[in-house]
Amino acid sequence: MACGRLGLLRSALSFTRSPLPTRTRVLPLLQHGCPYVDIPLPCYVRHYATKKSKAKAKAQTSKVSINAALVEDIINLEEVKEDMVAVLATLKDDFSRNLGIRTSIGALDHITVTTKDGKYPLNQLGQISMKSPQLIVVNMTSYPEATAAATQALRESSMMLNPEVEGTIIRVPVPKVTREHRENLAKLAKQLSNKAKESVRRVRSNALTKVKKAKEGVSEDTIHLLEKQVQQMADSYAADVDKQLAAKTKELLG
């Protein structure tokens, strides 16, 4: 009788479908001569969203794009973009000029010298020449009065130079390419990138200030979208700064 009831129970449950394959297990006979049968039960798998997928979905849904011409009375988004582009361009230029593994004559051209008559590039005040791979010489004969200022500008530059003065001749030893030198350059690259990010944040803050001042007569939705657009631009250029830093660090450290 027990076996008969068990058969009816199995028939009643036979309609249950399982998304995943299951296995029926038959155990040894019990005292009444009927086998103990494990009845297959449906199996379900639940998939949880990962943090990465959630962030990606959020970024896709929160991204905004405003027609700059429609809000030009509130803020000039093209100018904001140009200011952020200029920050990134300055960073690239600093990386190229100041953070080369090998120092060349042209690496000193951009150094600005402050004199009583104003600020001038070093190559306009002195004649720069490479005496050897380890020594650059700056001849200040044409502007001897600017020798001290040029020496100070070289020493205070981000290139970690230690110039030596002999009359109107400035000798600039070229640092050896050691592991320590490479690591120092990488640290300097990090400092320059942090300054670039600060500049991007400054551009963003100035833009948001203009947007907030224009709240009168402008819908809250428009203000909200503009603030979001400016923040989105700032995040994008900050990410570009990080990419430039990563590439330069890899180049410097090898």
Side-chain angles (χ1 to χ4, degrees), residues 24-224:
T24 300
R25 181 161 54 104
V26 179
L27 299 181
L29 293 176
L30 300 179
Q31 293 179 356
H32 299 287
C34 296
Y36 175 83
V37 181
D38 278 347
I39 299 174
L41 296 176
C43 300
Y44 299 96
V45 178
R46 184 174 183 180
H47 298 280
Y48 293 90
T50 63
K51 290 183 179 180
K52 186 176 181 181
S53 62
K54 288 181 180 179
K56 185 177 181 180
K58 184 178 180 181
Q60 290 176 343
T61 56
S62 62
K63 189 174 182 179
V64 297
S65 181
I66 300 175
N67 188 332
L70 299 178
V71 294
E72 59 184 4
D73 293 338
I74 303 173
I75 187 174
N76 191 327
L77 289 176
E78 287 300 319
E79 287 185 358
V80 176
K81 180 180 178 181
E82 289 173 1
D83 289 342
M84 293 185 181
V85 168
V87 171
L88 189 62
T90 299
L91 178 66
K92 291 179 179 179
D93 187 58
D94 284 341
F95 279 0
S96 176
R97 290 177 176 272
N98 298 339
L99 301 180
I101 296 298
R102 298 288 180 183
T103 304
S104 62
I105 297 175
L108 304 184
D109 290 348
H110 75 288
I111 292 180
T112 302
V113 181
T114 303
T115 69
K116 62 180 180 179
D117 298 322
K119 295 182 178 181
Y120 301 92
L122 180 61
N123 61 353
Q124 290 186 12
L125 301 176
Q127 183 180 2
I128 305 173
S129 60
M130 197 108 182
K131 292 300 181 182
S132 72
Q134 288 77 40
L135 181 64
I136 297 178
V137 173
V138 183
N139 191 330
M140 300 293 296
T141 303
S142 300
Y143 295 92
E145 65 276 14
T147 301
T151 304
Q152 182 179 356
L154 287 165
R155 186 172 289 115
E156 293 178 353
S157 73
S158 57
M159 299 176 67
M160 302 179 185
L161 302 174
N162 188 24
E164 303 169 355
V165 183
E166 294 180 6
T168 57
I169 301 297
I170 305 175
R171 300 181 183 276
V172 186
V174 177
K176 293 181 179 180
V177 185
T178 62
R179 184 67 186 179
E180 182 182 4
H181 181 57
R182 289 174 179 269
E183 291 175 352
N184 287 336
L185 290 177
K187 291 178 182 178
L188 181 57
K190 179 68 173 177
Q191 294 174 8
L192 291 174
S193 66
N194 286 340
K195 289 182 180 179
K197 284 186 176 181
E198 289 176 5
S199 297
V200 170
R201 287 193 290 269
R202 194 177 304 114
V203 173
R204 178 205 63 191
S205 297
N206 292 338
L208 291 178
T209 299
K210 290 182 180 179
V211 171
K212 290 177 181 178
K213 287 182 179 179
K215 281 189 175 182
E216 185 175 351
V218 181
S219 69
E220 292 184 3
D221 288 344
T222 300
I223 294 296
H224 177 68

